Amino acid sequence: MAPRCGRPPTKGAAHTHSFAAKSAEETLDLITVAVELSDMHGLELLERFRHTPTTVDVPIIMCGSGSEPTQAMAYGADARVGGDAQALLQEAERLVAAPRRRVVLVVEDNPAVRSVLIRLLRVSGYACLDAATATSGLELARTRKPDLIVTDLILPGKDGLEMLRELRGDDTLRNVPVLVVSARTEREVRDEIRALNADFVPKPFQATTIVAEIQRILD
C-alpha cells in the first residue's frame, strides 16, 4: 500500500501554515518538504513539524537544492534528496518501512543548552520534543509519551526533582526513563535521583557522554 505522504503546497502563505496545522490532526507515514517555499524556508517548516507532538517522529524528506544534507539532518530531516524522482521514491519506501525514531523530551530552560542537546540528539538519530519548564514538559509528556526524558534540575517554577516525582506518580508515565543533566552534584541530590529510578550526568557534559548514556538507557 502506498504511504500516506504529506507535502505542503507552494502557493500562498496561508496554504503552508494551514498544512502544518492540519498535519497535527492527521496520521501520516511520511512528509516531504521542499527547501524553497513561497512563504517560508523549508527548514522553518521542518522545525515546526519537529516541535509538534504528532509529527515529531514522522519521517521527513527534504527535497530540492539549497541546503546542505548535514544542515537538514540537524533540523530533523531523515533524508535529503535533490531533484531525482526515483531517488525520492526509494528513500520514501525505505523510511516508511524502517522503525520510527525514538522520541526524547528535553526539558531545559537555558536556550543555548537546549539547542545543543536537540541538535546533538537529532544528528544521533533521535526525534526531539523540548520544553523550558517542568510544567510544560509534563504537559508535553502527557500529550505524546516519550521514550526518554532528559531534564535539568534547576528550572523556573517547579524544579526537575518535583517533575520527576510527578512522573513516578503518574500511571502512564511512571516507567519512562529519565536522564538528569545538571550542575547540581551534591550527594543528597544524586541519592534522590537514584531513589526515583533516574540516571545522572553532570554539567558541563561531553556530547559523546550524553549520546552513550542515552543509547545505554534505551537499548
Side-chain angles (χ1 to χ4, degrees):
M1 183 176 69
R4 293 181 297 279
C5 179
R7 181 177 61 84
T10 57
K11 292 183 180 180
H15 292 292
T16 304
H17 288 285
S18 63
F19 177 84
K22 187 177 181 182
S23 68
E25 303 169 0
E26 297 182 351
T27 300
L28 300 175
D29 295 320
L30 179 76
I31 299 170
T32 64
V33 177
V35 173
E36 297 296 337
L37 300 170
S38 61
D39 55 320
M40 68 175 72
H41 196 280
L43 290 176
E44 182 184 344
L45 182 58
L46 174 58
E47 187 84 349
R48 293 188 186 196
F49 283 131
R50 288 311 185 215
H51 281 87
T52 303
T54 53
T55 56
V56 63
D57 61 341
V58 174
I60 297 179
I61 301 175
M62 290 291 293
C63 305
S65 59
S67 70
E68 294 296 324
T70 52
Q71 184 183 32
M73 301 306 177
Y75 274 78
D78 295 272
R80 172 78 169 75
V81 176
D84 187 333
Q86 186 59 37
L88 174 59
L89 180 60
Q90 290 175 349
E91 273 305 305
E93 290 175 342
R94 179 185 70 81
L95 289 171
V96 169
R100 290 284 181 95
R101 293 187 183 212
R102 309 291 287 277
V103 177
V104 179
L105 170 59
V106 176
V107 185
E108 167 64 63
D109 66 318
N110 185 312
V113 176
R114 190 168 66 248
S115 179
V116 166
L117 284 169
I118 291 169
R119 297 297 171 88
L120 172 63
L121 292 172
R122 282 177 178 167
V123 299
S124 300
Y126 299 99
C128 286
L129 291 170
D130 65 283
T133 68
T135 299
S136 57
L138 285 166
E139 290 174 357
L140 266 178
R142 287 169 178 143
T143 300
R144 172 62 164 88
K145 183 179 178 181
D147 295 292
L148 172 73
I149 296 173
V150 176
T151 184
D152 193 4
L153 289 182
I154 303 171
L155 297 167
K158 188 180 301 183
D159 67 22
L161 284 175
E162 290 179 89
M163 182 183 74
L164 190 48
R165 294 187 199 104
E166 280 198 42
L167 287 168
R168 295 304 180 236
D170 187 299
D171 289 340
T172 302
L173 301 173
R174 67 170 70 247
N175 294 320
V176 173
V178 177
L179 175 61
V180 175
V181 181
S182 177
R184 291 194 59 186
T185 58
E186 308 96 295
R187 181 173 178 178
E188 59 271 21
V189 172
R190 298 183 69 159
D191 286 345
E192 184 165 7
I193 291 169
R194 281 193 293 268
L196 290 165
N197 195 28
D199 293 278
F200 179 79
V201 169
K203 287 182 180 178
F205 56 82
Q206 295 290 326
T208 52
T209 302
I210 292 288
V211 173
E213 190 65 9
I214 289 173
Q215 289 174 340
R216 181 192 67 78
I217 292 170
L218 291 178
D219 285 347

